[in-house]
Short mmCIF file of all heavy atoms in Angstrom, two decimals:
data_model
loop_
_atom_site.label_atom_id
_atom_site.label_comp_id
_atom_site.label_asym_id
_atom_site.label_seq_id
_atom_site.Cartn_x
_atom_site.Cartn_y
_atom_site.Cartn_z
N GLY A 294 -10.35 -3.09 -5.56
CA GLY A 294 -10.13 -1.69 -5.63
C GLY A 294 -9.72 -1.16 -7.04
O GLY A 294 -10.22 -1.74 -7.98
N TYR A 295 -8.99 -0.17 -7.07
CA TYR A 295 -8.66 0.60 -8.29
C TYR A 295 -7.31 1.35 -8.19
O TYR A 295 -6.75 1.53 -7.16
CB TYR A 295 -9.74 1.66 -8.63
CG TYR A 295 -9.98 2.70 -7.63
CD1 TYR A 295 -9.22 3.85 -7.67
CD2 TYR A 295 -10.80 2.46 -6.52
CE1 TYR A 295 -9.37 4.90 -6.72
CE2 TYR A 295 -11.00 3.58 -5.68
CZ TYR A 295 -10.17 4.69 -5.73
OH TYR A 295 -10.39 5.69 -4.74
N VAL A 296 -6.85 1.69 -9.37
CA VAL A 296 -5.70 2.60 -9.52
C VAL A 296 -6.01 3.78 -10.40
O VAL A 296 -6.46 3.46 -11.52
CB VAL A 296 -4.40 1.85 -10.09
CG1 VAL A 296 -3.31 2.93 -10.16
CG2 VAL A 296 -4.03 0.64 -9.15
N LEU A 297 -5.91 4.87 -9.89
CA LEU A 297 -6.29 6.13 -10.59
C LEU A 297 -4.94 7.00 -10.90
O LEU A 297 -4.30 7.31 -9.92
CB LEU A 297 -7.22 6.96 -9.96
CG LEU A 297 -7.64 8.40 -10.56
CD1 LEU A 297 -8.41 8.12 -11.90
CD2 LEU A 297 -8.58 9.16 -9.59
N GLN A 298 -4.66 7.35 -12.06
CA GLN A 298 -3.42 8.22 -12.35
C GLN A 298 -3.93 9.33 -13.17
O GLN A 298 -4.51 9.26 -14.22
CB GLN A 298 -2.36 7.44 -13.16
CG GLN A 298 -1.19 8.35 -13.39
CD GLN A 298 0.16 7.53 -13.60
OE1 GLN A 298 0.16 6.41 -13.38
NE2 GLN A 298 1.15 8.32 -13.97
N VAL A 299 -3.51 10.58 -12.65
CA VAL A 299 -3.72 11.88 -13.32
C VAL A 299 -2.31 12.45 -13.39
O VAL A 299 -1.82 13.07 -12.36
CB VAL A 299 -4.65 12.79 -12.53
CG1 VAL A 299 -4.93 14.02 -13.28
CG2 VAL A 299 -5.94 12.03 -12.16
N GLY A 300 -1.69 12.35 -14.55
CA GLY A 300 -0.35 12.86 -14.74
C GLY A 300 0.57 12.01 -13.85
O GLY A 300 0.66 10.83 -13.96
N ASP A 301 1.33 12.77 -12.98
CA ASP A 301 2.33 12.09 -12.14
C ASP A 301 1.73 11.52 -10.77
O ASP A 301 2.33 10.82 -10.08
CB ASP A 301 3.52 13.01 -11.83
CG ASP A 301 4.42 13.24 -13.07
OD1 ASP A 301 4.44 12.36 -13.91
OD2 ASP A 301 5.00 14.33 -13.13
N ARG A 302 0.46 11.97 -10.60
CA ARG A 302 -0.14 11.63 -9.36
C ARG A 302 -0.78 10.25 -9.48
O ARG A 302 -1.60 10.06 -10.40
CB ARG A 302 -1.12 12.55 -8.86
CG ARG A 302 -0.49 13.96 -8.50
CD ARG A 302 -1.36 14.86 -7.76
NE ARG A 302 -1.62 14.39 -6.37
CZ ARG A 302 -2.44 14.97 -5.51
NH1 ARG A 302 -3.13 16.02 -5.82
NH2 ARG A 302 -2.65 14.37 -4.37
N VAL A 303 -0.53 9.31 -8.56
CA VAL A 303 -0.97 7.97 -8.60
C VAL A 303 -1.82 7.72 -7.27
O VAL A 303 -1.24 7.92 -6.20
CB VAL A 303 0.11 6.94 -8.71
CG1 VAL A 303 -0.45 5.54 -8.66
CG2 VAL A 303 1.00 7.17 -9.91
N PHE A 304 -3.07 7.45 -7.44
CA PHE A 304 -3.93 6.92 -6.33
C PHE A 304 -4.14 5.56 -6.45
O PHE A 304 -5.00 5.08 -7.22
CB PHE A 304 -5.24 7.80 -6.39
CG PHE A 304 -5.12 9.24 -6.40
CD1 PHE A 304 -4.93 9.97 -7.56
CD2 PHE A 304 -5.17 9.95 -5.24
CE1 PHE A 304 -4.78 11.31 -7.46
CE2 PHE A 304 -5.10 11.27 -5.18
CZ PHE A 304 -4.83 12.00 -6.33
N ASP A 305 -3.46 4.77 -5.66
CA ASP A 305 -3.38 3.33 -5.69
C ASP A 305 -4.14 2.78 -4.55
O ASP A 305 -3.62 2.70 -3.42
CB ASP A 305 -2.04 2.76 -5.79
CG ASP A 305 -2.05 1.27 -6.18
OD1 ASP A 305 -2.98 0.70 -6.11
OD2 ASP A 305 -1.01 0.81 -6.69
N ASN A 306 -5.34 2.29 -4.67
CA ASN A 306 -6.15 1.77 -3.69
C ASN A 306 -6.50 0.33 -4.01
O ASN A 306 -7.68 -0.19 -3.71
CB ASN A 306 -7.54 2.66 -3.43
CG ASN A 306 -8.16 2.38 -2.14
OD1 ASN A 306 -7.49 1.70 -1.16
ND2 ASN A 306 -9.28 2.73 -1.95
N SER A 307 -5.58 -0.36 -4.66
CA SER A 307 -5.86 -1.68 -5.06
C SER A 307 -5.46 -2.84 -4.02
O SER A 307 -4.62 -2.49 -3.16
CB SER A 307 -5.15 -1.96 -6.35
OG SER A 307 -3.75 -1.96 -6.13
N GLY A 308 -6.04 -3.93 -4.07
CA GLY A 308 -5.65 -4.96 -3.19
C GLY A 308 -4.22 -5.48 -3.40
O GLY A 308 -3.56 -5.78 -2.49
N ARG A 309 -3.87 -5.49 -4.73
CA ARG A 309 -2.44 -5.88 -5.02
C ARG A 309 -1.47 -4.90 -4.35
O ARG A 309 -0.44 -5.32 -3.84
CB ARG A 309 -2.21 -5.87 -6.48
CG ARG A 309 -0.90 -6.41 -6.95
CD ARG A 309 -0.81 -6.32 -8.54
NE ARG A 309 -0.76 -4.91 -8.98
CZ ARG A 309 -0.89 -4.61 -10.27
NH1 ARG A 309 -1.05 -5.53 -11.08
NH2 ARG A 309 -0.85 -3.30 -10.59
N HIS A 310 -1.72 -3.69 -4.32
CA HIS A 310 -0.78 -2.68 -3.76
C HIS A 310 -0.75 -2.91 -2.22
O HIS A 310 0.30 -2.96 -1.64
CB HIS A 310 -1.33 -1.25 -3.97
CG HIS A 310 -0.51 -0.22 -3.31
ND1 HIS A 310 -0.88 0.38 -2.04
CD2 HIS A 310 0.67 0.40 -3.63
CE1 HIS A 310 0.01 1.24 -1.64
NE2 HIS A 310 0.95 1.32 -2.66
N ALA A 311 -1.89 -3.19 -1.54
CA ALA A 311 -1.81 -3.47 -0.11
C ALA A 311 -1.04 -4.70 0.18
O ALA A 311 -0.26 -4.76 1.09
CB ALA A 311 -3.29 -3.58 0.35
N LEU A 312 -1.23 -5.71 -0.64
CA LEU A 312 -0.56 -6.98 -0.41
C LEU A 312 0.90 -6.86 -0.67
O LEU A 312 1.79 -7.34 0.14
CB LEU A 312 -1.07 -8.08 -1.41
CG LEU A 312 -0.90 -9.53 -0.97
CD1 LEU A 312 -1.53 -9.92 0.29
CD2 LEU A 312 -1.47 -10.42 -2.13
N ASP A 313 1.35 -6.09 -1.70
CA ASP A 313 2.65 -5.91 -1.89
C ASP A 313 3.37 -5.22 -0.85
O ASP A 313 4.58 -5.43 -0.38
CB ASP A 313 2.96 -5.09 -3.24
CG ASP A 313 2.59 -6.00 -4.45
OD1 ASP A 313 2.49 -7.21 -4.26
OD2 ASP A 313 2.46 -5.48 -5.60
N GLN A 314 2.66 -4.15 -0.30
CA GLN A 314 3.23 -3.39 0.72
C GLN A 314 3.43 -4.17 2.10
O GLN A 314 4.40 -3.98 2.76
CB GLN A 314 2.24 -2.21 1.10
CG GLN A 314 2.04 -1.17 -0.07
CD GLN A 314 3.33 -0.33 0.01
OE1 GLN A 314 4.27 -0.60 -0.74
NE2 GLN A 314 3.41 0.77 0.69
N MET A 315 2.64 -5.08 2.34
CA MET A 315 2.62 -5.85 3.55
C MET A 315 3.56 -7.04 3.42
O MET A 315 4.23 -7.37 4.44
CB MET A 315 1.28 -6.31 3.89
CG MET A 315 0.21 -5.09 4.29
SD MET A 315 -1.36 -5.79 4.59
CE MET A 315 -2.37 -4.39 4.47
N THR A 316 3.74 -7.68 2.25
CA THR A 316 4.44 -8.92 2.19
C THR A 316 5.75 -8.75 1.42
O THR A 316 6.45 -9.84 1.23
CB THR A 316 3.61 -9.98 1.56
OG1 THR A 316 3.24 -9.54 0.19
CG2 THR A 316 2.28 -10.29 2.33
N GLY A 317 6.21 -7.55 1.07
CA GLY A 317 7.45 -7.44 0.30
C GLY A 317 8.65 -7.94 1.16
O GLY A 317 8.50 -7.78 2.36
N ASP A 318 9.56 -8.50 0.51
CA ASP A 318 10.83 -9.12 1.05
C ASP A 318 10.53 -10.28 2.19
O ASP A 318 11.33 -10.46 3.02
CB ASP A 318 11.71 -8.10 1.68
CG ASP A 318 11.14 -7.36 2.91
OD1 ASP A 318 10.37 -7.87 3.59
OD2 ASP A 318 11.66 -6.20 3.11
N LYS A 319 9.30 -10.86 2.07
CA LYS A 319 9.00 -12.00 2.99
C LYS A 319 9.28 -11.71 4.50
O LYS A 319 10.18 -12.23 5.05
CB LYS A 319 9.73 -13.20 2.53
CG LYS A 319 9.38 -13.67 1.16
CD LYS A 319 10.16 -14.93 0.73
CE LYS A 319 9.79 -15.36 -0.60
NZ LYS A 319 10.59 -16.53 -1.05
N PRO A 320 8.52 -10.74 5.02
CA PRO A 320 8.84 -10.32 6.49
C PRO A 320 8.42 -11.35 7.48
O PRO A 320 7.62 -12.33 7.11
CB PRO A 320 7.94 -9.05 6.64
CG PRO A 320 6.64 -9.34 5.76
CD PRO A 320 7.37 -10.04 4.56
N ASP A 321 9.05 -11.27 8.70
CA ASP A 321 8.62 -12.18 9.75
C ASP A 321 7.19 -11.59 10.21
O ASP A 321 6.67 -10.61 9.80
CB ASP A 321 9.60 -12.16 10.84
CG ASP A 321 9.90 -10.85 11.45
OD1 ASP A 321 9.07 -9.99 11.37
OD2 ASP A 321 11.03 -10.75 11.96
N LEU A 322 6.69 -12.38 11.25
CA LEU A 322 5.31 -12.06 11.71
C LEU A 322 5.28 -10.71 12.41
O LEU A 322 4.25 -9.87 12.22
CB LEU A 322 4.91 -13.09 12.75
CG LEU A 322 3.42 -12.96 13.29
CD1 LEU A 322 2.51 -13.13 12.13
CD2 LEU A 322 3.19 -14.03 14.36
N ALA A 323 6.34 -10.24 13.14
CA ALA A 323 6.35 -8.94 13.78
C ALA A 323 6.36 -7.76 12.74
O ALA A 323 5.61 -6.88 12.88
CB ALA A 323 7.55 -8.87 14.74
N THR A 324 7.13 -7.89 11.67
CA THR A 324 7.21 -6.89 10.66
C THR A 324 5.96 -6.93 9.94
O THR A 324 5.38 -5.77 9.60
CB THR A 324 8.33 -7.29 9.76
OG1 THR A 324 9.62 -7.34 10.47
CG2 THR A 324 8.58 -6.11 8.69
N LEU A 325 5.37 -8.03 9.55
CA LEU A 325 4.06 -8.06 8.90
C LEU A 325 2.93 -7.46 9.64
O LEU A 325 2.18 -6.57 9.11
CB LEU A 325 3.71 -9.50 8.53
CG LEU A 325 2.37 -9.68 7.74
CD1 LEU A 325 2.44 -9.02 6.48
CD2 LEU A 325 2.03 -11.20 7.62
N LYS A 326 2.99 -7.64 11.05
CA LYS A 326 1.93 -6.97 11.79
C LYS A 326 2.04 -5.45 11.81
O LYS A 326 1.17 -4.73 11.70
CB LYS A 326 2.03 -7.47 13.22
CG LYS A 326 1.05 -6.92 14.22
CD LYS A 326 1.31 -7.45 15.61
CE LYS A 326 0.31 -6.80 16.61
NZ LYS A 326 0.47 -7.23 18.00
N THR A 327 3.35 -4.91 11.86
CA THR A 327 3.59 -3.45 11.84
C THR A 327 3.13 -2.93 10.42
O THR A 327 2.49 -1.90 10.40
CB THR A 327 5.07 -3.21 11.97
OG1 THR A 327 5.49 -3.78 13.23
CG2 THR A 327 5.29 -1.73 11.90
N ARG A 328 3.42 -3.61 9.42
CA ARG A 328 3.01 -3.24 8.10
C ARG A 328 1.60 -3.18 7.91
O ARG A 328 1.02 -2.19 7.27
CB ARG A 328 3.69 -4.04 6.95
CG ARG A 328 5.23 -3.86 6.92
CD ARG A 328 5.78 -4.70 5.73
NE ARG A 328 7.23 -4.54 5.68
CZ ARG A 328 7.89 -5.20 4.93
NH1 ARG A 328 7.45 -6.07 4.03
NH2 ARG A 328 9.35 -5.10 4.84
N VAL A 329 0.74 -4.11 8.42
CA VAL A 329 -0.63 -4.08 8.39
C VAL A 329 -1.20 -2.91 9.11
O VAL A 329 -2.11 -2.27 8.59
CB VAL A 329 -1.13 -5.46 8.84
CG1 VAL A 329 -2.77 -5.35 9.01
CG2 VAL A 329 -0.83 -6.60 7.97
N GLU A 330 -0.67 -2.60 10.30
CA GLU A 330 -1.07 -1.50 11.07
C GLU A 330 -0.80 -0.17 10.34
O GLU A 330 -1.53 0.82 10.41
CB GLU A 330 -0.47 -1.53 12.46
CG GLU A 330 -1.00 -2.69 13.39
CD GLU A 330 -0.26 -2.83 14.53
OE1 GLU A 330 0.89 -2.25 14.75
OE2 GLU A 330 -0.69 -3.70 15.46
N ASP A 331 0.39 -0.04 9.83
CA ASP A 331 0.70 1.21 9.07
C ASP A 331 0.14 1.42 7.81
O ASP A 331 0.25 2.52 7.22
CB ASP A 331 2.28 1.25 8.98
CG ASP A 331 3.06 1.30 10.35
OD1 ASP A 331 2.29 1.61 11.29
OD2 ASP A 331 4.20 1.12 10.44
N TYR A 332 -0.46 0.39 7.12
CA TYR A 332 -0.83 0.54 5.75
C TYR A 332 -1.98 1.56 5.69
O TYR A 332 -2.96 1.56 6.43
CB TYR A 332 -1.32 -0.78 5.15
CG TYR A 332 -1.86 -0.71 3.76
CD1 TYR A 332 -1.02 -0.43 2.67
CD2 TYR A 332 -3.20 -0.68 3.59
CE1 TYR A 332 -1.43 -0.26 1.52
CE2 TYR A 332 -3.73 -0.49 2.30
CZ TYR A 332 -2.86 -0.29 1.19
OH TYR A 332 -3.36 -0.10 -0.02
N LYS A 333 -1.80 2.55 4.65
CA LYS A 333 -2.85 3.40 4.33
C LYS A 333 -3.02 3.44 2.82
O LYS A 333 -2.06 3.38 2.04
CB LYS A 333 -2.36 4.87 4.77
CG LYS A 333 -2.23 5.09 6.25
CD LYS A 333 -1.78 6.45 6.53
CE LYS A 333 -1.62 6.68 8.01
NZ LYS A 333 -1.06 8.08 8.22
N PRO A 334 -4.33 3.40 2.36
CA PRO A 334 -4.50 3.36 0.91
C PRO A 334 -3.85 4.64 0.26
O PRO A 334 -3.99 5.71 0.67
CB PRO A 334 -6.04 3.44 0.76
CG PRO A 334 -6.58 2.94 2.11
CD PRO A 334 -5.45 3.32 3.11
N ALA A 335 -3.08 4.36 -0.83
CA ALA A 335 -2.48 5.44 -1.51
C ALA A 335 -3.48 6.45 -2.10
O ALA A 335 -3.22 7.54 -2.26
CB ALA A 335 -1.66 4.91 -2.71
N ALA A 336 -4.74 5.98 -2.24
CA ALA A 336 -5.68 7.02 -2.76
C ALA A 336 -5.97 8.16 -1.85
O ALA A 336 -6.44 9.23 -2.26
CB ALA A 336 -6.99 6.20 -3.07
N ASN A 337 -5.72 7.95 -0.48
CA ASN A 337 -6.02 8.98 0.42
C ASN A 337 -4.74 9.81 0.72
O ASN A 337 -4.89 10.96 1.10
CB ASN A 337 -6.45 8.30 1.71
CG ASN A 337 -7.78 7.64 1.54
OD1 ASN A 337 -8.59 8.03 0.68
ND2 ASN A 337 -8.11 6.69 2.36
N THR A 338 -3.58 9.17 0.79
CA THR A 338 -2.42 9.90 1.24
C THR A 338 -1.23 10.09 0.27
O THR A 338 -0.34 10.74 0.65
CB THR A 338 -1.86 9.13 2.49
OG1 THR A 338 -1.46 7.81 2.01
CG2 THR A 338 -2.98 8.97 3.55
N ALA A 339 -1.29 9.41 -0.75
CA ALA A 339 0.02 9.25 -1.60
C ALA A 339 -0.01 10.15 -2.85
O ALA A 339 -1.03 10.46 -3.47
CB ALA A 339 0.18 7.88 -1.97
N GLU A 340 1.16 10.67 -3.08
CA GLU A 340 1.44 11.34 -4.35
C GLU A 340 2.47 10.53 -5.04
O GLU A 340 3.46 10.11 -4.41
CB GLU A 340 1.91 12.73 -4.13
CG GLU A 340 2.22 13.53 -5.28
CD GLU A 340 2.70 14.95 -4.99
OE1 GLU A 340 2.05 15.59 -4.25
OE2 GLU A 340 3.68 15.32 -5.54
#
Protein backbone atom coordinates (compact mmCIF):
# COMPACT_ATOMS: atom_id res chain seq x y z
CA GLY A 1 0.00 0.00 0.00
CA TYR A 2 0.94 3.64 0.55
CA VAL A 3 0.89 6.62 2.90
CA LEU A 4 -0.20 9.98 1.53
CA GLN A 5 0.14 13.19 3.57
CA VAL A 6 -1.23 16.57 2.54
CA GLY A 7 -0.50 19.00 5.32
CA ASP A 8 -2.05 17.62 8.52
CA ARG A 9 -4.20 15.07 6.72
CA VAL A 10 -2.77 11.56 6.61
CA PHE A 11 -4.18 8.85 4.34
CA ASP A 12 -2.54 5.67 5.59
CA ASN A 13 -3.46 2.64 3.52
CA SER A 14 -0.30 0.68 4.19
CA GLY A 15 0.05 -2.91 5.29
CA ARG A 16 2.18 -1.82 8.25
CA HIS A 17 -0.65 0.42 9.51
CA ALA A 18 -3.16 -2.40 9.23
CA LEU A 19 -0.85 -4.79 11.07
CA ASP A 20 -0.12 -2.28 13.84
CA GLN A 21 -3.82 -1.59 14.31
CA MET A 22 -4.65 -5.25 14.66
CA THR A 23 -1.73 -6.55 16.72
CA GLY A 24 -0.95 -3.61 19.01
CA ASP A 25 -0.48 -4.60 22.71
CA LYS A 26 -0.45 -8.34 21.77
CA PRO A 27 -4.24 -8.95 21.91
CA ASP A 28 -5.91 -12.27 22.56
CA LEU A 29 -7.73 -14.06 19.77
CA ALA A 30 -11.13 -12.47 20.53
CA THR A 31 -9.70 -8.94 20.50
CA LEU A 32 -7.70 -9.61 17.33
CA LYS A 33 -10.83 -10.87 15.57
CA THR A 34 -12.70 -7.69 16.55
CA ARG A 35 -9.87 -5.49 15.31
CA VAL A 36 -9.69 -7.30 11.96
CA GLU A 37 -13.44 -6.83 11.48
CA ASP A 38 -13.34 -3.16 12.54
CA TYR A 39 -10.27 -2.21 10.51
CA LYS A 40 -10.82 0.42 7.82
CA PRO A 41 -8.05 1.85 5.64
CA ALA A 42 -7.15 5.32 6.81
CA ALA A 43 -7.13 6.44 3.18
CA ASN A 44 -10.93 6.22 3.12
CA THR A 45 -11.99 7.37 6.56
CA ALA A 46 -9.21 9.03 8.51
CA GLU A 47 -8.04 12.54 9.08
